[in-house]
Amino acid sequence: MRDDDTSGPARPGTPREPRRRRPLRALAAGIGVLALLGVLALGGYAFYLQRTVEGNIEREDLNAQDDATVTISPDRFGTTQPDDDPDAEGSVDLDGPVETDEEGTAPIVGEDGEAVDVGESEFQAQTPARPAEAGEAQNFLIIGSDSRDLSVERGRSDVIVLMHINDERDRVDLVHFPRDLFVPIAGTGGSSKINAAYAYGGAPLLVQTLQPLVDVPIDHVVVVNFQSFQAMTDSIGGVDVNVAEASPGFPAGVMHMDGATGLEFVRERYALSQGDISRGQRQQAFIQGIMTKALSRETLTNPARLARFVDAATTNLTVDADLQVGEMRDLGFQMRGVRGGDIHFETAPWSGIENHPVAGSIVVMAQDQMATLSEHLKNDTMEDYTDPVSPRSGFGG
């Protein structure tokens, strides 16, 4: 981290004001893209890194904008109903709420409260207007998938993050959307857990589901899988993680983790006090550790370690067809002053966890606070955003 209070080098003609800093809170996913953006601008070494990235990344039609056709096609996992047995495997004791089967997709729920039979269908994508107040701020949707090969299966979206890069290119906000957040699913006429959008229509349907919530256009989409997550950790010699809530095998306190241990750490939820929300907090803590290590002088001044990290970060990285490496490089150059303290972490606002009779255990969205988040994203004023609504303990109302 830098020692001063000001941001990195400004683009020509852009005034620069001192920024207030907030404590670094971590959030799941995004490290692959942040590594890609942050290290491509390192002088003469950039050419080698760009060639590595070009050779590693895959491209797919992940985004859906400007009247593109979005196809709804339920995945091979099918749908499941909530488990009636609170002691069954896959459930968590929340004094009421129970989880749906981990291998299933939450059903779509209509306005009448009944499950909707969703078959093959298509609809035309719509894109929110880009407010003038946002300038050249950019929004990336980052998806953490358990698929080994997106061309064969889309897998499940265990991690959903909106990355907002501000107009001045000196601040990054990562907004984590809990996978069980209950929201309207675009094109279906019903609602479900937000990760069901990915299951029913891949990244394009998730884009169309997320955009109305935040009311800003999603410029690019990135999918990273858990093999990449593990490889990145090992490429920099493991990371130190603050374990705030103990669980079997993970005592409270600072713990050094390699990739395999970290993967186990971030996927746990049943032994944690707030279930899926607590898991998100664990993912945040792990990303805090990996970001601190990846952006440290120890890594950035070590060409061999840096090369291993970039290779690991991009080997299992899939981006939308319109995102070119040259654009990544240019964005990385504009963001060359960004360090760990310039990356900020939020969770999409929620008001409680409930047991839905059809969808199972859901995270209830705090709609008024979501509108507040939307305004700050639209106006590029995330430095002023606060969330006094989301419960900090327990399961809310």
Side-chain angles (χ1 to χ4, degrees):
M1 297 184 186
R2 293 168 297 180
D3 295 327
D4 55 20
D5 288 332
T6 58
S7 57
R11 289 175 292 162
T14 302
R16 188 68 68 172
E17 297 291 336
R19 286 193 329 283
R20 293 168 292 171
R21 294 195 182 275
R22 295 179 184 174
L24 180 64
R25 291 178 295 134
L27 202 275
I31 180 64
V33 163
L34 289 173
L36 192 106
L37 298 179
V39 301
L40 288 178
L42 297 179
Y45 200 54
F47 178 70
Y48 170 76
L49 294 178
Q50 179 171 336
R51 288 199 305 172
T52 298
V53 173
E54 285 275 17
N56 284 350
I57 63 171
E58 301 288 340
R59 288 188 171 82
E60 298 283 349
D61 291 328
L62 302 176
N63 209 348
Q65 305 287 354
D66 301 327
D67 295 324
T69 299
V70 180
T71 300
I72 297 177
S73 176
D75 73 1
R76 65 182 178 83
F77 293 116
T79 60
T80 61
Q81 298 297 318
D83 195 325
D84 293 327
D85 180 3
D87 297 322
E89 183 178 358
S91 66
V92 60
D93 181 10
L94 301 180
D95 293 327
V98 292
E99 301 286 349
T100 55
D101 188 329
E102 277 281 81
E103 295 301 323
T105 299
I108 306 297
V109 182
E111 292 184 0
D112 59 0
E114 300 296 327
V116 175
D117 184 14
V118 178
E120 301 272 348
S121 63
E122 294 181 343
F123 68 94
Q124 299 304 116
Q126 296 182 350
T127 306
R130 187 183 303 276
E133 293 81 2
E136 297 182 11
Q138 294 218 350
N139 302 294
F140 285 67
L141 172 59
I142 302 169
I143 303 168
S145 170
D146 62 1
S147 173
R148 293 177 180 271
D149 186 347
L150 290 178
S151 66
V152 176
E153 62 175 3
R154 65 177 67 116
R156 292 167 297 183
S157 53
D158 279 348
V159 176
I160 300 169
V161 173
L162 180 68
M163 179 171 74
H164 178 82
I165 302 172
N166 73 345
D167 176 67
E168 293 186 338
R169 303 296 191 253
D170 60 5
R171 178 186 174 101
V172 177
D173 286 271
L174 298 175
V175 184
H176 174 229
F177 286 77
R179 53 178 246 166
D180 292 345
L181 192 70
F182 195 72
V183 300
I185 305 298
T188 67
S191 300
S192 189
K193 301 178 182 185
I194 192 170
N195 71 336
Y198 186 77
Y200 279 94
L205 184 58
L206 184 54
V207 168
Q208 289 296 301
T209 295
L210 184 59
Q211 279 183 157
L213 302 181
V214 293
D215 201 24
V216 294
I218 291 175
D219 299 288
H220 293 294
V221 181
V222 177
V223 179
V224 60
N225 68 21
F226 285 108
Q227 282 72 34
S228 180
F229 179 88
Q230 182 171 336
M232 280 187 286
T233 304
D234 291 335
S235 72
I236 52 177
V239 297
D240 293 329
V241 180
N242 180 38
V243 181
E245 180 179 355
S247 68
F250 296 97
V254 176
M255 180 177 178
H256 187 79
M257 300 183 192
D258 60 13
T261 304
L263 195 56
E264 180 183 353
F265 176 74
V266 301
R267 301 188 87 168
E268 175 62 64
R269 65 170 167 164
Y270 297 123
L272 304 178
S273 62
Q274 285 187 300
D276 193 43
I277 299 298
S278 293
R279 175 167 64 174
Q281 293 167 351
R282 277 200 163 186
Q283 292 168 343
Q284 293 168 1
F286 196 88
I287 297 303
Q288 179 178 5
I290 203 170
M291 289 300 300
T292 299
K293 186 76 171 284
L295 295 176
S296 68
R297 180 177 297 276
E298 176 186 1
T299 298
L300 295 178
T301 60
N302 185 326
R305 172 173 287 183
L306 181 58
R308 288 194 300 270
F309 181 71
V310 173
D311 184 47
T314 57
T315 294
N316 292 288
L317 194 69
T318 303
V319 303
D320 66 82
D322 294 330
L323 181 56
Q324 302 301 314
V325 171
E327 183 179 353
M328 299 178 197
R329 182 198 60 233
D330 293 344
L331 187 55
F333 183 76
Q334 294 168 7
M335 297 172 64
R336 63 192 179 275
V338 170
R339 294 295 181 266
D342 304 312
I343 301 169
H344 303 261
F345 301 85
E346 294 88 22
T347 298
W350 63 288
S351 60
I353 297 177
E354 294 182 359
N355 185 36
H356 192 284
V358 176
S361 178
I362 61 171
V363 176
V364 180
M365 180 173 63
Q367 294 191 7
D368 289 346
Q369 184 64 25
M370 184 67 78
T372 299
L373 172 63
S374 171
E375 286 301 312
H376 284 284
L377 289 169
K378 289 193 292 185
N379 296 321
D380 195 27
T381 56
M382 286 300 292
E383 67 274 10
D384 297 325
Y385 175 73
T386 58
D387 177 7
V389 174
S390 299
R392 297 296 182 260
S393 62
F395 303 107

